[in-house]
Amino acid sequence: MSLIPKRGTVYVVDDDEAVRDSLQWLLEGKDYRVRCFESAEAFLARYDPREVACLIADIRMGGMSGMELQDRLLERHSPLPICFITGHGDVPMAVESMKKGAVDFIQKPFDEAKLVALVDRMLELAREAFAVHQQAATREALLAKLTTRESQVLERIVAGRLNKQIADDLGISIKTVEAHRANIMEKLGANTVADLLKIALAPIPPSKV
């Protein structure tokens, strides 16, 4: 039997030790891996964007606030799903955070069932975002195999140019275009033009700062 939690990692950022302990006890009991931080600054120093995870952060903290932390993560183009812990008077701030992309906010005292359901939803979003980034990394690795001339040919294939037009554009023969085209298909693992277009036109997530 594996001792590694299967349900994903949850970062908890709160300057209240009692809240951190409470969330850690609850979530570890539900088989999540929990990593707690007493400040936004401490979290940013240790955060690994390659990990599939989500974040629960207090909206009001000493030092950097939860909303300032959200701004820092946005600057880094982080896909990390965020949920904020709020007191009653913080709801307008929480609504503002959702306009910036926060998934939700939870008010104290916590409803355990709703919190666990929210964490599950955030981790599903995290897995989807991670998959997109993995696909982009694979795509970039494939495109890096192409020579400069092959990249020029691919660019024109994507634009819908015919072999004769590509040959005229680049000042090469049609046979040379056909050879480049075959090499491109092989290097990118594409069996059809449709496969080729899917690889070439796949969206690229913003790079992290």
Side-chain angles (χ1 to χ4, degrees):
M1 179 178 174
S2 174
L3 298 178
I4 301 174
K6 299 177 181 178
R7 300 184 69 179
T9 296
V10 183
Y11 294 117
V12 175
V13 181
D14 198 307
D15 56 3
D16 185 329
E17 184 177 4
V19 173
R20 294 197 306 272
D21 289 346
S22 174
L23 286 171
Q24 184 166 15
W25 177 84
L26 168 64
L27 294 171
E28 286 184 344
K30 301 295 184 181
D31 203 27
Y32 298 102
R33 180 185 181 213
V34 182
R35 298 181 64 188
C36 293
F37 300 87
E38 63 183 12
S39 70
E41 292 87 347
F43 165 72
L44 286 172
R46 300 287 299 276
Y47 169 51
D48 183 354
R50 295 169 298 179
E51 187 168 22
V52 177
C54 65
L55 169 64
I56 299 174
D58 195 352
I59 209 160
R60 288 186 185 274
M61 293 184 285
M64 187 187 299
S65 71
M67 291 191 72
E68 288 171 331
L69 171 57
Q70 181 184 27
D71 288 340
R72 294 289 183 89
L73 290 170
L74 288 172
E75 288 170 4
R76 297 184 182 189
H77 302 290
S78 168
L80 186 69
I82 305 172
C83 162
F84 284 110
I85 300 169
T86 69
H88 179 69
D90 297 330
V91 171
M93 293 171 62
V95 172
E96 181 64 28
S97 75
M98 291 183 69
K99 291 178 181 177
K100 293 182 179 180
V103 176
D104 209 337
F105 62 91
I106 52 175
Q107 288 183 267
K108 305 170 188 176
F110 310 132
D111 180 311
E112 293 186 3
K114 289 182 179 178
L115 175 60
V116 170
L118 176 57
V119 167
D120 275 339
R121 181 155 62 96
M122 289 198 295
L123 286 171
E124 183 58 34
L125 292 172
R127 281 187 282 271
E128 290 171 2
F130 185 77
V132 169
H133 280 269
Q134 287 292 94
Q135 290 168 5
T138 300
R139 171 186 182 272
E140 289 173 2
L142 288 173
L143 293 177
K145 295 179 180 180
L146 303 182
T147 65
T148 299
R149 179 64 85 191
E150 287 166 352
S151 294
Q152 292 170 341
V153 171
L154 175 60
E155 181 182 337
R156 286 160 175 79
I157 293 172
V158 170
R161 305 284 284 171
L162 302 174
N163 284 355
K164 183 178 186 307
Q165 294 171 317
I166 295 173
D168 290 342
D169 290 345
L170 299 177
I172 56 180
S173 70
I174 294 178
K175 285 188 176 180
T176 300
V177 172
E178 291 171 347
H180 284 315
R181 192 171 184 135
N183 287 339
I184 292 166
M185 298 283 280
E186 181 179 352
K187 288 181 179 181
L188 299 187
N191 295 317
T192 66
V193 174
D195 291 340
L196 192 66
L197 293 177
K198 284 179 185 177
I199 295 169
L201 298 175
I204 303 175
S207 60
K208 295 181 180 64
V209 176

